[in-house]
Amino acid sequence: MEEKAVYEVDMPETNAPKMVKITFAVPEELHQQILDLASAEGWKPAELHRVVWVLGFNAYAEGSNKRLVNRNLRSKSAKQVSE
């Protein structure tokens, strides 16, 4: 196994958000498609991974919010019918 040297660098102060490194597994074919797309768009793979993560979360949150609104509307409707 190769050993790589680790360098400490003093980073300037920034107002950028703190980042969290997340490790997860995806099918190799999907990962290759993401890398190909990143290359075609001229993006670094990490940038595209962040976009996919954010857009995926957006899609999930939107669906979750719709389910919550629908549940609340059904609950209000049921209360009105029973009164």
Side-chain angles (χ1 to χ4, degrees), residues 34 37-38 41 43-59:
I34 290 172
L37 182 58
E41 293 288 331
W43 289 15
K44 294 178 183 173
E47 294 169 324
L48 190 60
H49 284 271
R50 280 192 289 275
V51 168
V52 169
W53 178 266
V54 169
L55 291 178
F57 178 75
N58 256 354

Side-chain angles (χ1 to χ4, degrees), residues 66-81:
K66 286 179 182 178
R67 287 188 296 277
L68 180 61
V69 167
N70 284 334
R71 187 178 317 128
N72 288 340
L73 289 174
R74 284 192 298 271
S75 173
K76 287 179 184 177
S77 176
K79 285 180 184 177
Q80 289 175 352
V81 169

Side-chain angles (χ1 to χ4, degrees), residues 15-32:
N15 62 352
K18 300 282 186 204
M19 298 287 182
V20 175
K21 184 174 182 176
I22 299 173
T23 305
F24 60 97
V26 296
E28 188 174 346
E29 184 178 321
L30 177 60
H31 185 250
Q32 188 57 50

